[in-house]
Amino acid sequence: GQNIDQPTEMTATEGAIVQINCTYQTSGFNGLFWYQQHAGEAPTFLSYNVLDGLEEKGRFSSFLSRSKGYSYLLLKELQMKDSASYLCAALDSNYQLIWGAGTKLIIKP
Amino acid sequence: IAGITQAPTSQILAAGRRMTLRCTQDMRHNAMYWYRQDLGLGLRLIHYSNTAGTTGKGEVPDGYSVSRANTDDFPLTLASAVPSQTSVYFCASSDSGGAGDEQFFGPGTRLTVL
């Protein structure tokens, strides 16, 4: 079956760094997405990785290891506005996104 | 630029009633999607359309139908609503539905079936 695993909830301190992990098992693989979703709002795109390695975009970076079925999202210099759920999603062989349940990130002052 | 709009924002519906959730995008995207989001579960794909005139079934299509008469609109119909269809419904679109295509989401419809 197809499966995405990520932690349910994480807590971090303002100004710190946090890493949110995601493991995936899909039938075929065409890339890994990260989305941010604030409470009561729609998901918004953060990153896409299809090749192994680290992609950096400002305070956010995303890493992919295809051989390990593993990705992480790294958030630096955390701000209170980063409090949100972070959704990991893998694109399968049919180009359909398989979504994790999301990691709720709580930022404390 | 509106992006993707959904209507209604929220709805309370009696079981057995028919309901259509509306979705319109103005980005001229070819691919459109309907998802439901339930607490503790990931987004689950209900139906999708890769281009106007074609539709496909996702992971949880039972009890739902869609149509794609033109590029902009992708309505989702519940023929006879049941309480298990209580959820938040998101419509999304992407340029072509291919690898690397970012999906843009509408604001969602919160549906309660009693």
Side-chain angles (χ1 to χ4, degrees):
Chain A
Q2 306 199 97
N3 192 51
I4 306 287
D5 283 318
Q6 53 180 130
T8 302
E9 186 175 296
M10 298 181 71
T11 301
T13 304
E14 189 178 15
I17 298 173
V18 71
Q19 178 175 312
I20 303 174
N21 296 324
C22 169
T23 58
Y24 63 89
Q25 282 183 303
T26 55
S27 55
F29 179 75
N30 284 297
L32 194 290
F33 288 82
W34 285 95
Y35 280 76
Q36 181 189 60
Q37 186 177 26
H38 285 100
E41 297 183 6
T44 55
F45 170 81
L46 288 177
S47 68
Y48 170 72
N49 295 65
V50 65
L51 301 176
D52 285 357
L54 188 68
E55 296 273 348
E56 297 186 75
K57 193 185 294 185
R59 294 189 299 115
F60 292 10
S61 302
S62 55
F63 172 83
L64 176 68
S65 168
R66 294 177 66 127
S67 62
K68 295 182 179 178
Y70 167 70
S71 173
Y72 67 73
L73 181 69
L74 191 71
L75 291 75
K76 303 176 185 176
E77 301 169 16
L78 286 170
Q79 302 175 10
M80 296 305 293
K81 67 179 182 179
D82 297 330
S83 292
S85 289
Y86 291 86
L87 314 181
C88 174
L91 196 63
D92 71 9
S93 57
N94 294 318
Y95 294 95
Q96 291 186 7
L97 280 175
I98 309 301
W99 296 81
T103 298
K104 182 178 181 180
L105 178 63
I106 299 168
I107 310 296
K108 295 186 175 179
Chain B
I1 297 175
I4 300 184
T5 58
Q6 292 184 236
T9 303
S10 65
Q11 182 76 44
I12 298 174
L13 190 66
R17 297 297 294 268
R18 180 183 179 90
M19 175 76 190
T20 295
L21 308 185
R22 300 184 297 278
C23 174
T24 300
Q25 54 103 358
D26 64 3
M27 297 176 282
R28 307 303 295 171
H29 283 170
N30 286 307
M32 296 188 74
Y33 315 85
W34 274 105
Y35 293 96
R36 60 178 290 172
Q37 188 175 40
D38 302 291
L39 200 63
L41 299 177
L43 288 160
R44 291 183 291 170
L45 183 65
I46 304 170
H47 285 286
Y48 66 93
S49 169
N50 287 329
T51 189
T54 69
T55 62
K57 294 181 179 179
E59 180 186 355
V60 289
D62 293 345
Y64 306 95
S65 64
V66 291
S67 62
R68 187 88 184 277
N70 57 61
T71 298
D72 298 345
D73 301 300
F74 192 42
L76 176 74
T77 296
L78 290 67
S80 179
V82 295
S84 62
Q85 292 178 313
T86 294
S87 188
V88 179
Y89 290 86
F90 287 103
C91 179
S93 72
S94 67
D95 188 20
S96 66
D101 260 7
E102 170 189 351
Q103 291 188 13
F104 295 82
F105 285 79
T109 293
R110 185 174 295 275
L111 181 67
T112 302
V113 182
L114 301 175

